[in-house]
């Protein structure tokens, strides 16, 4: 997980993502919850602790907000060597992939709900850029919808709340969906290769439940940005369900 990004080549995005530790839960930090007027400062402040930074991209169509754009990602890329997970909550992700990979994304996740042709095109473009690909599912989408893409992806992101919703508890079905995804990946012999990311409703009292259900990573926002002691909160996150 600590691979170094080198200018002009060097360590590529896919090997960087695939070098993640498998013995403990991964903590992605959602930059949507950062101090938006001081993003670079917050990236540098959390880099010693975070496994990755999570950057939501929204187009005001697929999701109701307007969020992060490629030039901003490129500007932040200079402030950290941590992984960048770009989550495209947009109608046409294939049109944006190249720019976000060029900006410094290590993992680009696209939504299954945009349609099979669009998802296949986006994944193809992501992988052609030597970047890791992920597929995201909204809360109401059956976990089986990811099956056509399992052989081409490195991560599945399961939303626990509606897209672009902050400050809500995860839906009551969130843990059951993670368990179903865990089973599905195991059936395909891919459990050790595809990371299950839980996104939405990450609170101190929900982390253990999500981890027990099978989440390999969580996307934490206010949980870490409002913490008094960053070292303590990340040590706790990394210890939840850690394997010897």
């Amino acid at each position: 997980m600590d691979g170094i990004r080198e200018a002009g080549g060097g360590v590529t995005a896919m090997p960087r993502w695939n070098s993640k530790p498998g013995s403990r839960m991964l903590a992605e930090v959602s930059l949507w919850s950062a101090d938006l007027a001081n993003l670079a400062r917050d990236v540098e402040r959390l880099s010693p602790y975070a496994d990755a930074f999570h950057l939501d991209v929204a187009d005001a169509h697929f999701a109701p907000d307007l969020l992060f754009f490629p030039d901003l990602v490129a500007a932040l890329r200079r402030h950290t060597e941590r992984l960048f997970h770009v989550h495209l909550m947009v109608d046409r992700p294939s049109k944006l992939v190249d720019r976000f990979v060029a900006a410094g994304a290590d993992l680009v996740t696209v939504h299954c709900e945009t349609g099979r042709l669009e998802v296949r095109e986006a994944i193809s473009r992501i992988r052609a850029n030597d970047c890791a690909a992920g597929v995201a599912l909204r809360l109401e989408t059956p976990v089986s919808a990811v099956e056509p893409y399992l052989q081409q992806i490195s991560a599945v992101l399961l939303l626990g709340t509606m897209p672009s919703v902050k400050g809500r508890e995860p839906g009551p079905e969130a843990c059951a969906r993670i368990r179903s995804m865990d089973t599905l990946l195991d059936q395909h012999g891919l459990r050790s290769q595809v990371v299950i990311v839980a996104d939405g409703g990450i609170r101190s009292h929900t982390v253990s439940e999500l981890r027990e259900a099978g989440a390999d990573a969580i996307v934490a926002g206010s949980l870490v940005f409002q913490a008094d002691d960053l070292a303590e909160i990340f040590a706790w996150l990394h210890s939840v369900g850690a394997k010897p």
Side-chain angles (χ1 to χ4, degrees), residues 18-147:
N18 291 340
S19 67
K20 64 198 175 302
S23 60
R24 62 165 175 78
M25 186 168 66
L26 307 176
E28 297 188 17
V29 173
S30 172
L31 290 181
W32 190 20
S33 294
D35 180 350
L36 297 181
N38 293 283
L39 279 172
R41 182 203 64 188
D42 274 358
V43 165
E44 293 177 356
R45 185 169 65 93
L46 273 76
S47 284
Y49 311 103
D51 292 300
F53 287 104
H54 188 95
L55 298 112
D56 288 309
V57 177
D59 61 0
H61 294 281
F62 184 89
D65 285 293
L66 287 170
L67 293 168
F68 299 123
F69 52 97
D71 286 349
L72 177 59
V73 174
L76 295 175
R77 179 76 274 177
R78 297 193 293 269
H79 292 271
T80 184
E81 294 170 352
R82 291 300 185 188
L83 299 174
F84 274 9
H85 179 181
V86 172
H87 175 195
L88 296 179
M89 297 184 290
V90 301
D91 283 335
R92 298 296 302 277
S94 65
K95 302 298 183 184
L96 299 176
V97 165
D98 291 350
R99 292 189 63 194
F100 277 104
V101 173
D106 297 289
L107 169 67
V108 177
T109 292
V110 302
H111 266 270
C112 196
E113 298 83 6
T114 58
R116 186 169 295 193
L117 291 177
E118 180 64 24
V119 173
R120 288 195 182 281
E121 174 64 18
I123 290 174
S124 176
R125 298 193 71 84
I126 294 166
R127 290 170 60 85
N129 280 284
D130 290 324
C131 187
V135 170
L137 301 177
R138 294 167 62 124
L139 194 58
E140 71 275 14
T141 304
V143 297
S144 59
V146 78
E147 281 194 270

Side-chain angles (χ1 to χ4, degrees), residues 192-203:
S192 63
Q193 300 174 45
V194 178
V195 172
I196 298 176
V197 182
D199 185 6
I202 306 302
R203 303 287 183 269

